[in-house]
Amino acid sequence: MMSKPTYTIAVTGLNAIDSPGPGLAVIRSLRDAESFNVRIIGLSYETMEPGIYMHDLVDKTYQIPYPSAGQQVLFERFQFINAVEDLDFLFPNFDAELFNFIKIQEQFEKDLGIKMVLPSLEQFEARHKVNLFEYGEKHNIKVPFAKMLFSASEIPSLTEQFGFPMVIKGKFYDAKIAYSSNQAIQHFNKINAQWGLPVIIQQFIHGSEVNVCGIGDGEGNLLGAVPMRKLYITDKGKAWAGVTLEDNKLIEITENLVKETNWKGPFELEFMKTTNDEYYLIEINPRFPAWCYLTVGAGQNQVESLVNLAMTGKTKAFTTYDIGKMFIRYSNDMIVDMEEFEKISTLGEL
């Protein structure tokens, strides 16, 4: 019997707040991988990220600089981490850090031997919320009408065009529904303060939200896709429970999009499905979503598949998944020694 390889894999997104990062779900998927063993290196930005202290999931954690520190500082930090840990693969799991990682992807592989499977910069930029409406027109997918706002004073003149309710969105995160001009202005100011300009105003679509978690090989092939309907949503709009559903049309739209764009790496597509069975694409997230462990439960370990694609150059596409598998998220209190917290705070590793 052939022995399984062991990979050292680094993962960001270790936060597990009410809007959790995808890191822990990615790690659990890796721990469930059948084709390889793994050693997990956690990468944290804040000392309070719970994943740092989950020693059954994460073998060792290093703090890394915020995306705003730039690519050079990031690369130098990884030179240090890699010298100690000899990393094979890296999963960045936050939208805001992806730009840097995409830019230094080649350097990471060439100089450090660390592989990643990420969309190209062009693919990443094209699906930005600010470009999504044009993106939909180009790839023949319905997208709610949207406009970029640079000042709250533009809102009153746009209300006729959009009507109420309307959706106000941040360029990276956050979406709020406004039922009046005053509320829209309030949301605009709050989102602008947190995420900066432009703020996006989007037509509100009535319907139920359905999402797809999938992976593309960069050559137009869909390697896996699992559709899910949100059953319970937090006030931040995050899925706290969801169920896999049979939806061939949704898979077809996903297949088509991956083929048209040659998408490489993981993605989450967020759709509103109207009462007349029309699908409106609301968002493309260029990474695994926080609910990606559900794909493992449904028989598609997409995280494992992506690692195999990078490490061996081959992986089989998933063609089936289990319908009616649910995930339910829960909060838990973890007991941690203060000295561990002090260690990561002062030394930047644990």
Side-chain angles (χ1 to χ4, degrees):
M1 200 175 122
M2 279 177 66
S3 64
K4 290 195 278 194
T6 298
Y7 298 133
T8 302
I9 297 179
V11 182
T12 72
L14 306 179
N15 66 335
I17 49 171
D18 57 349
S19 170
L24 294 176
V26 167
I27 291 167
R28 290 179 73 194
S29 304
L30 288 168
R31 292 271 180 218
D32 282 6
E34 288 171 8
S35 53
F36 53 79
N37 297 317
V38 18
R39 184 161 186 271
I40 299 288
I41 305 300
L43 302 169
S44 68
Y45 290 103
E46 308 261 347
T47 49
M48 286 287 195
E49 291 174 31
I52 300 169
Y53 309 99
M54 295 182 169
H55 303 307
D56 54 333
L57 288 177
V58 180
D59 295 298
K60 189 165 177 189
T61 301
Y62 291 86
Q63 285 217 270
I64 58 171
Y66 282 107
S68 55
Q71 291 143 34
Q72 189 53 38
V73 177
L74 185 66
F75 186 76
E76 283 164 15
R77 180 63 174 151
F78 270 93
Q79 276 180 308
F80 171 79
I81 297 169
N82 196 50
V84 184
E85 303 298 344
D86 192 16
L87 302 174
D88 294 302
F89 193 90
L90 168 63
F91 278 104
N93 290 309
F94 286 131
D95 297 14
E97 65 187 359
L98 275 172
F99 178 80
N100 285 342
F101 281 115
I102 290 170
K103 291 285 272 193
I104 53 181
Q105 184 175 4
E106 274 178 35
Q107 200 186 357
F108 259 48
E109 192 158 342
K110 196 168 94 243
D111 299 349
L112 304 179
I114 302 172
K115 291 182 180 349
M116 293 185 266
V117 182
L118 300 174
S120 68
L121 195 58
E122 200 183 352
Q123 290 170 333
F124 176 72
E125 298 285 353
R127 55 92 241 158
H128 261 310
K129 291 179 195 180
V130 291
N131 304 327
L132 196 62
F133 187 63
E134 287 76 41
Y135 192 86
E137 287 188 324
K138 184 179 171 185
H139 300 299
N140 209 8
I141 289 178
K142 289 191 177 81
V143 173
F145 180 57
K147 267 196 159 156
M148 286 189 275
L149 291 182
F150 291 92
S151 157
S153 61
E154 298 173 63
I155 291 170
S157 62
L158 290 174
T159 53
E160 276 175 33
Q161 232 175 329
F162 284 88
F164 289 105
M166 62 170 71
V167 186
I168 313 288
K169 289 185 153 185
K171 58 181 174 179
F172 290 124
Y173 297 103
D174 226 350
K176 298 187 188 306
I177 297 166
Y179 294 92
S180 68
S181 283
N182 282 349
Q183 207 174 20
I185 290 166
Q186 261 175 338
H187 292 334
F188 175 93
N189 291 332
K190 204 170 172 183
I191 289 172
N192 176 23
Q194 198 169 2
W195 301 110
L197 294 171
V199 171
I200 296 122
I201 179 172
Q202 196 179 55
Q203 166 199 3
F204 181 84
I205 304 290
H206 291 273
S208 60
E209 194 174 331
V210 287
N211 297 3
V212 180
C213 177
I215 43 176
D217 70 353
E219 288 166 14
N221 304 305
L222 182 66
L223 296 177
V226 174
M228 175 274 290
R229 182 164 58 86
K230 290 182 178 180
L231 294 177
Y232 186 86
I233 296 172
T234 66
D235 55 3
K236 283 215 167 84
K238 298 293 165 191
W240 209 251
V243 63
T244 59
L245 68 153
E246 186 172 12
D247 195 323
N248 295 335
K249 191 173 171 192
L250 202 52
I251 297 283
E252 203 180 297
I253 293 171
T254 305
E255 241 170 19
N256 186 40
L257 189 65
V258 167
K259 195 165 137 191
E260 283 250 325
T261 59
N262 287 331
W263 185 268
K264 188 173 185 186
F267 60 84
E268 178 193 27
L269 304 179
E270 298 184 17
F271 289 93
M272 285 306 277
K273 182 183 178 180
T274 67
T275 40
N276 327 328
D277 284 348
E278 289 186 308
Y279 293 82
Y280 281 87
L281 180 64
I282 310 177
E283 218 163 284
I284 301 176
N285 293 314
R287 52 164 169 82
F288 279 117
W291 60 272
C292 68
Y293 191 59
L294 179 63
T295 71
V296 180
Q300 292 192 8
N301 193 333
Q302 297 178 3
V303 172
E304 175 182 12
S305 187
L306 214 55
V307 173
N308 283 328
L309 179 68
M311 300 308 293
T312 66
K314 49 185 186 285
T315 185
K316 281 209 314 276
F318 295 107
T319 51
T320 60
Y321 62 91
D322 298 337
I323 293 150
K325 288 282 184 199
M326 268 174 73
F327 82 89
I328 298 173
R329 208 169 267 161
Y330 63 96
S331 304
N332 201 355
D333 296 347
M334 191 170 32
I335 308 303
V336 176
D337 282 325
M338 192 63 192
E339 72 191 63
E340 290 204 325
F341 173 75
E342 284 163 0
K343 217 172 190 174
I344 187 95
S345 303
T346 52
L347 300 177
E349 55 186 86
L350 180 67

